């Protein structure tokens, strides 16, 4: 199975300041089609996860442009250019390159 | 709009089975796989498997193979996940999620169904 790790596991942030979360996979997530099968989700308190970023660097519909994703085959980053109060919650990365799909442990972001 | 509405909370005894439903609406039901993901409260997310509502084909995580069954009812656009031989460590929130193949990710999630296993 592909193991996903994240750092940090806890991230205190300040409104208006940037924030960054790292995600690493134990194997390359680069598919032969050139896409990296890595997505990011935010789980707000008491809610279901919601998709933020797909295929490593593409914002999902309705996601504010302060969120951006980047990465190589095994190292990925989610950046928030200016944190807003509504961004608190737990952020997860997930690989969908091969079964079983696996998630990172999560990064808890709070103000 | 796309909605995945799941069944309510369940309390089960060890050794029993649970069947969680996920009613889909707002998109072509047979065109997108539905996956199941569970989450022990306070912990990360764990993928369980998926079903293709178009043909009923399934793929399960090896961890749950033999204990889980996913089926679909196209007449009611509902997917079901049954987990058998429940143990206390199966206490989790179970989510269904629509997989969007173009994005290779889960673009919509159900609200979650808490299953508690306790004697």
């Amino acid at each position: 199975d592909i193991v996903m790790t994240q750092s940090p596991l806890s991230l205190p942030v300040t409104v208006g300041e940037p924030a960054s979360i790292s995600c690493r996979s134990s194997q390359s997530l680069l598919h032969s089609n050139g896409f990296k099968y890595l997505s990011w989700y935010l789980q707000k308190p008491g809610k279901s996860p919601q998709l933020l970023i797909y295929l490593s660097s593409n914002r999902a519909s309705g996601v504010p442009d302060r969120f951006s994703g980047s990465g190589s085959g095994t190292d990925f980053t989610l950046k928030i250019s200016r944190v807003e109060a509504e961004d608190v919650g737990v952020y997860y990365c997930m690989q969908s390159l091969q079964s079983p799909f696996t998630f990172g442990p999560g990064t808890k972001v709070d103000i | 709009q796309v909605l995945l509405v799941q069944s309510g909370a369940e309390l089960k005894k060890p050794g029993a089975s649970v069947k969680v439903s996920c009613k889909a609406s707002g998109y072509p039901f047979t065109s997108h796989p539905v996956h199941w993901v569970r989450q022990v409260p306070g912990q990360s997310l764990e993928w369980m498997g998926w079903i293709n509502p178009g043909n009923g084909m399934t793929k399960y995580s090896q961890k749950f193979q033999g204990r889980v069954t996913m089926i679909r009812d196209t007449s009611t656009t509902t997917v079901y996940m049954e987990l058998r031989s429940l143990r206390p460590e199966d206490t989790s929130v179970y989510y269904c999620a629509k997989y969007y193949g173009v994005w290779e990710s889960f673009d919509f999630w159900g609200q979650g169904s808490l299953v508690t296993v306790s004697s």
Side-chain angles (χ1 to χ4, degrees), chain B residues 57-111:
Chain B
M57 190 177 79
T58 56
K59 184 171 179 65
Y60 306 134
S61 167
Q62 275 212 313
K63 176 175 179 176
F64 301 101
Q65 195 82 37
R67 272 207 312 145
V68 70
T69 300
M70 298 175 190
I71 61 172
R72 95 295 191 205
D73 182 339
T74 55
S75 67
T76 60
T77 65
T78 301
V79 172
Y80 299 88
M81 187 282 297
E82 181 182 43
L83 189 61
R84 300 177 292 279
S85 301
L86 290 168
R87 311 153 185 161
E89 53 266 35
D90 291 319
T91 294
S92 293
V93 176
Y94 290 78
Y95 294 102
C96 60
K98 170 182 167 288
Y99 192 74
Y100 187 37
V102 173
W103 291 357
E104 302 294 353
S105 57
F106 302 128
D107 60 345
F108 289 95
W109 295 66
Q111 84 276 19

Side-chain angles (χ1 to χ4, degrees), chain A residues 43-107:
Chain A
Q43 187 172 33
K44 295 183 178 182
K47 300 293 187 183
S48 303
Q50 60 186 83
L51 178 64
L52 295 176
I53 301 288
Y54 63 91
L55 296 175
S56 176
S57 60
N58 300 275
R59 273 189 305 277
S61 304
V63 175
D65 60 8
R66 64 179 180 275
F67 290 94
S68 64
S70 63
S72 64
T74 58
D75 289 280
F76 301 90
T77 303
L78 176 71
K79 292 184 177 178
I80 310 173
S81 59
R82 291 176 305 279
V83 171
E84 297 193 4
E86 65 186 29
D87 299 337
V88 298
V90 182
Y91 290 77
Y92 296 98
C93 58
M94 182 195 84
Q95 68 82 18
S96 54
L97 181 69
Q98 67 182 53
S99 178
F101 291 4
T102 46
F103 293 84
T107 295

Side-chain angles (χ1 to χ4, degrees), chain A residues 24-41:
Chain A
R24 180 168 289 180
S25 57
S26 61
Q27 302 174 34
S28 174
L29 302 184
L30 180 62
H31 192 278
S32 56
N33 61 15
F35 292 107
K36 302 174 193 101
Y37 282 32
L38 185 284
S39 48
W40 289 94
Y41 301 85

